Amino acid sequence: MVDTGELSDRAVAERAGIGFSAKNCMITTPEYGSYVYLAEMITNIPFEPDVPIEDMCGSCTKCLDACPTGALVNPGQLNAQRCISFLTQTKGFLPDEFRTKIGNRLYGCDTCQTVCPINKGKDFHLHPEMEPDPEIAKPLLKPLLTISNREFKEKFGHVSGSWRGKKPIQRNAILALAHFKDTSALSELTELMHKDPRPVIRGTAAWAIGKIGDNTYAEELEKALEKENDEEAKQEIEKGIELLKAGMTK
Ligand code: SF4
Ligand code: SF4
């Protein structure tokens, strides 16, 4: 069983003596830090119970301090609604307060693992078949905006990050382009704002145009606002217009 099975992977791993539950909520092992995959097999073999592993966090709070959204509200306590790993997988509009914090992440967030001193120097490149393909793990952003369902399935269908379909990844790609202030994406974003059938994509594109564009885009946003029927997308276009105005007064 993995991930979505009946058992709670981390609680079982802790009781099995694999690792301890660290302040970043990861099962952390002395050998590989938190860079492990958890899976369970149920058997009726009467094993001796394992000895639990002692907590290695001590007084460290690096993961809590580094979390961009304050999702680790206490040691070992996660507010999943604020965790970028969860937020990158939602399908609706990303709440405003997280739009700049998500940065260029398309799926998931590893910050509370990468800052962990227990993980430092751990070799987790032990299985060539598990090594990420850079083109899949860090794909170019602009081609994602117009990728078809078929292309998406062919290119990303085999990776776990595709389980929610292409919309969350495309929304996150738009936010990443806004993060980089990539002016070369403005024509694609304008096209999406006018023509994409999904309100989340139209609205997020409008917001991104407001972040990246200059006053020459005000007219495009006004045009989009006139014909937009979706209330939430409308609000995003209005935000885009406000952002452009704020940019002009800087
Ligand atoms: S995965 Fe990212 S957002 Fe979530 S708790 Fe860790 S650092 Fe915070
Ligand atoms: S960063 Fe520090 S507090 Fe957080 S899990 Fe690692 S050792 Fe524990």
Side-chain angles (χ1 to χ4, degrees):
M1 241 177 278
V2 290
D3 200 17
T4 55
E6 297 298 317
L7 294 175
S8 167
D9 303 281
R10 285 182 290 147
V12 171
E14 194 179 9
R15 283 167 51 191
I18 302 242
F20 70 99
S21 186
K23 289 183 191 173
N24 61 3
C25 301
M26 306 279 167
I27 289 298
T28 301
T29 70
E31 304 93 326
Y32 308 112
S34 59
Y35 296 135
V36 288
Y37 294 96
L38 301 177
E40 303 87 43
M41 189 186 290
I42 293 186
T43 171
N44 59 1
I45 301 171
F47 289 119
E48 283 291 308
D50 286 281
V51 182
I53 289 190
E54 271 184 38
D55 185 294
M56 294 163 70
C57 284
S59 59
C60 175
T61 57
K62 282 194 170 163
C63 51
L64 282 89
D65 303 338
C67 175
T69 57
L72 289 165
V73 284
N74 276 306
Q77 210 184 343
L78 177 77
N79 178 351
Q81 301 293 318
R82 297 190 64 79
C83 176
I84 290 175
S85 193
F86 164 79
L87 290 165
T88 55
Q89 300 175 50
T90 56
K91 289 190 168 180
F93 285 103
L94 194 74
D96 287 13
E97 71 164 306
F98 301 120
R99 287 190 193 174
T100 47
K101 291 179 175 156
I102 190 172
N104 65 343
R105 297 175 182 87
L106 294 180
Y107 182 84
C109 167
D110 281 335
T111 300
C112 55
Q113 291 196 86
T114 50
V115 299
C116 178
I118 301 171
N119 284 338
K120 289 272 175 311
K122 293 277 191 272
D123 180 10
F124 52 91
H125 301 279
L126 304 172
H127 302 282
E129 64 276 26
M130 302 300 264
E131 287 299 310
D133 172 350
E135 278 195 38
I136 304 294
K138 288 242 176 251
L140 290 174
L141 296 173
K142 279 196 286 174
L144 285 173
L145 302 184
T146 49
I147 195 167
S148 69
N149 287 340
R150 204 171 128 199
E151 286 168 329
F152 183 80
K153 211 169 165 202
E154 274 170 18
K155 195 161 181 195
F156 300 102
H158 64 291
V159 295
S160 58
S162 70
W163 81 284
R164 296 282 278 163
K166 69 176 185 170
K167 189 167 78 168
I169 305 273
Q170 287 180 311
R171 178 203 64 184
N172 300 340
I174 296 170
L175 295 171
L177 288 163
H179 168 77
F180 290 126
K181 296 223 182 307
D182 187 344
T183 50
S184 75
L186 278 164
S187 60
E188 278 104 329
L189 291 171
T190 306
E191 188 84 1
L192 287 180
M193 172 179 71
H194 286 306
K195 298 201 179 137
D196 197 278
R198 299 157 299 176
V200 168
I201 299 298
R202 292 198 300 276
T204 308
W207 180 87
I209 292 168
K211 275 279 189 194
I212 313 169
D214 55 28
N215 57 357
T216 56
Y217 285 87
E219 202 181 316
E220 292 292 349
L221 286 165
E222 293 289 355
K223 265 198 267 171
L225 186 60
E226 241 171 68
K227 62 178 171 49
E228 182 58 65
N229 294 321
D230 182 89
E231 268 317 306
E232 281 185 294
K234 257 188 192 169
Q235 284 170 20
E236 297 302 327
I237 301 171
E238 280 162 1
K239 281 183 210 166
I241 293 170
E242 286 308 311
L243 283 166
L244 279 189
K245 279 187 196 154
M248 277 182 243
T249 56
K250 267 184 207 155

